[in-house]
Amino acid sequence: MASYSSSLFSSTTQNHSAASPLQGLYADQVLLPFFDALVEKMDFSWMVDFLKGMVKPLAATVVVLLAVVLSYVQKLGLGGEMVYSIARAFVQLSIIGFVLQFIFNRDNAIWIILAYMFMVSVAGYTAGQRAKHVPRGKYVAGASILVGTAITMFLLIVLKVFPFTPRYIIPVAGMMVGNSMTVTGVTMKRLRDDIRTQMNLVETALALGATPRQATLQQVKRALVISLSPVLDNAKTVGLISLPGAMTGLIMGGASPLEAIQLQIVVMNFLIGASTISSILSTYLCWPAFFTKAYQLETKVFSAE
């Protein structure tokens, strides 16, 4: 490879030396040695290992192809979306794998915070998209997720449940942010839809002197119960129907099942806490957009289907 780079730059040098002897001298004495050394130090073994490791994931796409065929036979029209989804998953997970490898090697608190803020930003945007009729929904969702997960992460670190290293904090933070994103998005959408459906009841309560909180108390409760029920149902059936991701990863990595169970219990507790805080906070942050300063419903918020 070094001889190839030398021949490449020597031919380039000959072309430029006719126009400028100084450029040819610079290329011979500086550029050629630099690129020869760079090529010799390049190690592509990591890429070879990565490609070898992707053989099994590629083989697993046979199941996706089966799903595509079934979609075609049933005329569901989902074949293209299935292929796009799995291709996107391959690319996203590959990129994230390299990014996490980089962060783990650095073992720096700044990278942990940056990764955490990136996850919160994407989660806030996604949850806001679900509740698209809520004004400033992306900001409301992002702030709710940030506060809910930050409180639980702070307790996790203070109680020394996990060491403050990327290998522990980033995966746990990802699980908390993901759950909070789902719960917050459902809460915001359900609250807005319920108020829209029962506008007459809410307006009657406001006319009788109720505050926005009192007038929408039942809608808030219903939205929170519906959004948090899947999280609680998952906690009730964990280990009986399916093994959670964190526990499965530890067991497949060689850890004792008892150690994996202990870790999963800790994670489940923090997931419930983060989801509950985020969802409740989102209801409070939604109110300014739902009501005017005169404690009346903002009709333009509830006019869209």
Side-chain angles (χ1 to χ4, degrees):
M1 294 183 70
S3 61
Y4 170 76
S5 63
S6 299
S7 61
L8 176 63
F9 278 94
S10 61
S11 61
T12 306
T13 303
Q14 291 174 2
N15 294 334
H16 285 280
S17 61
S20 174
L22 290 177
Q23 291 181 357
L25 182 63
Y26 175 76
D28 288 336
Q29 296 185 358
V30 179
L31 292 181
L32 283 177
F34 171 75
F35 279 99
D36 284 342
L38 181 63
V39 171
E40 288 177 357
K41 290 182 179 180
M42 281 185 176
D43 183 11
F44 292 98
S45 60
W46 60 272
M47 179 59 72
V48 175
D49 293 339
F50 172 74
L51 293 176
K52 288 181 179 179
M54 291 299 289
V55 172
K56 292 182 179 179
L58 287 173
T61 57
V62 173
V63 181
V64 180
L65 295 178
L66 176 61
V68 171
V69 172
L70 291 175
S71 173
Y72 176 77
V73 172
Q74 296 295 321
K75 298 181 180 179
L76 301 178
L78 296 176
E81 187 173 354
M82 289 179 181
V83 174
Y84 169 77
S85 299
I86 197 65
R88 179 171 173 174
F90 263 83
V91 175
Q92 288 180 178
L93 290 175
S94 298
I95 294 174
I96 290 299
F98 286 117
V99 172
L100 289 179
Q101 185 67 41
F102 172 83
I103 295 175
F104 288 175
N105 291 337
R106 295 301 179 275
D107 196 10
N108 191 308
I110 295 178
W111 288 107
I112 298 177
I113 296 174
L114 289 175
Y116 169 66
M117 294 304 298
F118 174 78
M119 290 187 289
V120 170
S121 300
V122 175
Y125 178 83
T126 305
Q129 286 288 96
R130 176 184 291 273
K132 58 183 178 181
H133 294 305
V134 177
R136 299 180 298 278
K138 297 180 180 64
Y139 298 101
V140 171
S144 302
I145 295 170
L146 176 62
V147 173
T149 55
I151 292 174
T152 51
M153 290 296 295
F154 176 76
L155 293 174
L156 184 148
I157 296 170
V158 170
L159 296 176
K160 297 181 179 180
V161 178
F162 298 116
F164 190 71
T165 60
R167 190 171 297 276
Y168 288 93
I169 298 301
I170 291 179
V172 175
M175 287 185 282
M176 291 185 187
V177 171
N179 275 266
S180 298
M181 174 191 71
T182 303
V183 171
T184 301
V186 172
T187 299
M188 294 168 58
K189 183 179 185 304
R190 184 70 188 193
L191 177 59
R192 184 261 177 193
D193 292 346
D194 278 1
I195 293 177
R196 180 180 178 276
T197 304
Q198 300 176 340
M199 285 183 63
N200 292 333
L201 293 177
V202 175
E203 289 176 338
T204 300
L206 292 172
L208 294 175
T211 64
R213 177 70 178 179
Q214 294 170 336
T216 58
L217 183 61
Q218 294 303 318
Q219 290 79 11
V220 169
K221 284 185 177 180
R222 188 179 298 109
L224 291 173
V225 169
I226 290 175
S227 62
L228 289 172
S229 291
V231 178
L232 299 178
D233 290 342
N234 188 35
K236 293 175 185 177
T237 59
V238 63
L240 299 178
I241 299 177
S242 63
L243 297 179
M247 181 177 173
T248 302
L250 285 171
I251 293 176
M252 294 178 66
S256 165
L258 296 179
E259 294 177 355
I261 289 172
Q262 294 168 359
L263 175 70
Q264 186 58 51
I265 292 174
V266 172
V267 171
M268 188 64 65
N269 291 337
F270 281 98
L271 289 179
I272 294 175
S275 300
T276 303
I277 295 172
S278 297
S279 59
I280 292 176
L281 180 60
S282 68
T283 63
Y284 281 92
L285 296 180
C286 282
W287 277 329
F290 289 168
F291 297 91
T292 65
K293 294 181 179 180
Y295 284 0
Q296 295 176 337
L297 280 176
E298 195 71 67
T299 54
K300 63 181 180 180
V301 176
F302 303 100
S303 58
E305 290 291 339

